[in-house]
Amino acid sequence: MLNPDGVYLGNYRCSLMGFDLNRHWQDPSPWAHPTLHAVKQLIIQMNQDPRVSLEFYIDVHAHSTMLNGFMYGNVFEDEERVQRQAVFPRLLCQNAADFSFSSTSFNRDVVKAGTGRRFLGGLLDDTSYCYTLEVSFYSYMTAGSAAPVPYTEETYMRLGRNVARTFLDYYKLNSLVQDSVPAHIQSSELKRRTGDRNGKVKGSDAADRERERNQGVRHY
């Protein structure tokens, strides 16, 4: 939580001093942007420590116009690195019905150069993955639905759980939780999204996710 004073005042983007903090990662001031400055120094120290492997950086933001959850990633000259960066959002799309891979994009917009995702993507090496996870302020659409579904505190928390589950998939540790899914999320929706024990996704969700996978990585 890098904007506690701004949020306390009711701001969702700007700090107490009126700065959009996710535009000042390149040269944060310890006086004007103290939280950014501290986190940046910590990440630099971790990156220089041979005992530490910093593999993921994900900042989380609300989006005021688009639906669903989706991600922004970086564009690199190395095509293999670009494709590897697409793995995590693809896995998340399999786990979360409200996450859209078709809305996920990989870009190098000049206006985004001061974001954490862009700055750290240039600072860290090719074993690190930097993303912005955007989540709609208001609603999401699932495959086959006719109308947007309003987000609630519970559905935001469910997306967070699905991000955590995606890390288990990514590191091939999902066997640790196969038999310990909390009862309150063992719903028909979860069963429909996760499919049978062989990993096959059933119903209309499967066709939708196959279309999104076939769209590939979007470059801007």
Side-chain angles (χ1 to χ4, degrees):
M1 178 59 178
L2 299 183
N3 188 22
D5 51 355
V7 170
Y8 179 80
L9 292 176
N11 301 342
Y12 64 85
R13 191 174 190 94
C14 293
S15 68
L16 172 66
M17 300 182 68
F19 291 107
D20 181 348
L21 294 180
N22 202 33
R23 293 296 184 274
H24 291 276
W25 278 86
Q26 289 177 313
D27 188 25
S29 162
W31 178 78
H33 326 107
T35 55
L36 293 195
H37 184 268
V39 172
K40 178 181 175 180
Q41 294 305 310
L42 175 62
I43 291 175
I44 290 174
Q45 292 174 16
M46 294 173 65
N47 190 47
Q48 294 172 344
D49 189 339
R51 300 168 300 175
V52 176
S53 176
L54 182 59
E55 298 185 6
F56 280 90
Y57 166 88
I58 302 177
D59 55 40
V60 183
H61 296 266
H63 202 284
S64 59
T65 59
M66 294 182 65
L67 298 177
N68 294 71
F70 57 95
M71 278 182 157
Y72 293 127
N74 296 316
V75 174
F76 303 100
E77 299 302 325
D78 181 2
E79 183 62 25
E80 180 184 353
R81 187 178 181 186
V82 172
Q83 295 299 330
R84 282 191 282 111
Q85 189 182 210
V87 171
F88 189 87
R90 286 179 184 275
L91 290 174
L92 180 54
C93 186
Q94 294 287 344
N95 285 327
D98 57 322
F99 183 84
S100 172
F101 187 77
S102 62
S103 295
T104 294
S105 65
F106 300 82
N107 61 66
R108 51 165 59 121
D109 294 346
V110 175
V111 295
K112 299 293 184 68
T115 64
R117 181 256 308 178
R118 281 289 307 280
F119 172 78
L120 294 172
L123 174 70
L124 304 174
D125 62 27
D126 63 359
T127 64
S128 301
Y129 303 96
C130 300
Y131 307 94
T132 298
L133 172 60
E134 297 274 0
V135 188
S136 174
F137 261 124
Y138 48 97
S139 297
Y140 62 93
M141 294 276 286
T142 59
S145 62
V149 180
Y151 267 112
T152 64
E153 183 176 349
E154 169 56 29
T155 51
Y156 282 132
M157 291 178 67
R158 184 179 64 196
L159 179 57
R161 290 194 295 266
N162 284 326
V163 171
R165 185 172 295 275
T166 301
F167 278 113
L168 296 178
D169 290 340
Y170 183 87
Y171 289 108
K172 300 182 179 179
L173 297 172
N174 46 358
S175 60
L176 298 177
V177 295
Q178 281 182 350
D179 298 325
S180 58
V181 178
H184 67 283
I185 62 171
Q186 289 180 343
S187 63
S188 58
E189 180 182 356
L190 176 65
K191 294 176 183 177
R192 175 171 56 83
R193 289 191 286 111
T194 55
D196 63 20
R197 292 184 179 180
N198 294 324
K200 297 178 180 178
V201 181
K202 300 177 181 179
S204 58
D205 281 356
D208 181 70
R209 300 197 187 288
E210 184 63 28
R211 284 194 299 272
E212 293 200 339
R213 283 195 295 271
N214 291 337
Q215 286 176 342
V217 178
R218 300 169 64 195
H219 292 185
Y220 291 95

